Amino acid sequence: MSSDLDTAGLQSFIDEHGYLSWLGLCLDLIEEGRVRMSVPETEELRNPGPGRSVHGGIAATLIDTASGFALRTTFEKPADARLVTTDLDVSYLRPATGALTVDAEVLRAGGTTGVTDVTVESDTETVAVGRTTYRLFRES
């Protein structure tokens, strides 16, 4: 299990990542097996046309990314963890209209597989839920 949850180091990973930094993704909370992240409301993330809701791909990205970070907390060195998404399930409940917050919780992190449960909120309402499965590459 993780002995050093280096929030600054993991935020630095986000800041150096082209897509995640463009989104303005912020790591708000990191605990063993749990992560909270947020993305500010910006026009670039909205769909065209009436309603101008946030594009659903942003919620899917948050589910995937927060899951990976939550699973990183189960590694001895979270910033150096190697893992890849093998399954991503997203259920959209309502349009997102503002800034987004995502909470990911590890359900299981074994030797080679990890599973998370995730909730995405906008304007204090749940807008999407998801579950991911990851392949974990732990050092032998």
Side-chain angles (χ1 to χ4, degrees), residues 41-49 51-55 58 96-99 123:
E41 179 179 1
T42 65
E43 284 300 311
E44 293 83 6
L45 305 182
R46 294 188 177 281
N47 285 310
R52 305 271 298 140
S53 61
V54 176
H55 189 280
I58 303 304
T97 57
D123 298 325

Side-chain angles (χ1 to χ4, degrees), residues 6 10 12 26 30 37 42 49 65 73 77-78 86 89 91 100 103 107 118 130 132:
D6 177 14
L10 290 172
S12 177
C26 182
I30 186 163
M37 304 174 117
T42 65
T65 303
T73 70
K77 296 180 181 176
T86 59
D89 179 64
S91 295
L100 298 171
D103 283 289
L107 298 178
V118 188
T132 68

Side-chain angles (χ1 to χ4, degrees), residues 68-136:
F69 274 77
L71 285 163
R72 283 176 177 277
T73 70
T74 69
F75 283 75
E76 192 63 35
K77 296 180 181 176
D80 297 334
R82 290 184 43 238
L83 48 116
V84 295
T85 310
T86 59
D87 187 54
L88 172 66
D89 179 64
V90 179
S91 295
Y92 298 98
L93 306 177
R94 62 183 47 86
T97 57
L100 298 171
T101 301
V102 59
D103 283 289
E105 183 176 350
V106 173
L107 298 178
R108 182 175 191 284
T112 60
T113 304
V115 177
T116 66
D117 231 356
V118 188
T119 302
V120 180
E121 293 185 345
S122 176
D123 298 325
T124 70
E125 289 191 305
T126 301
V127 297
V129 293
R131 180 164 284 178
T132 68
T133 305
Y134 271 71
R135 170 69 165 94
L136 310 177

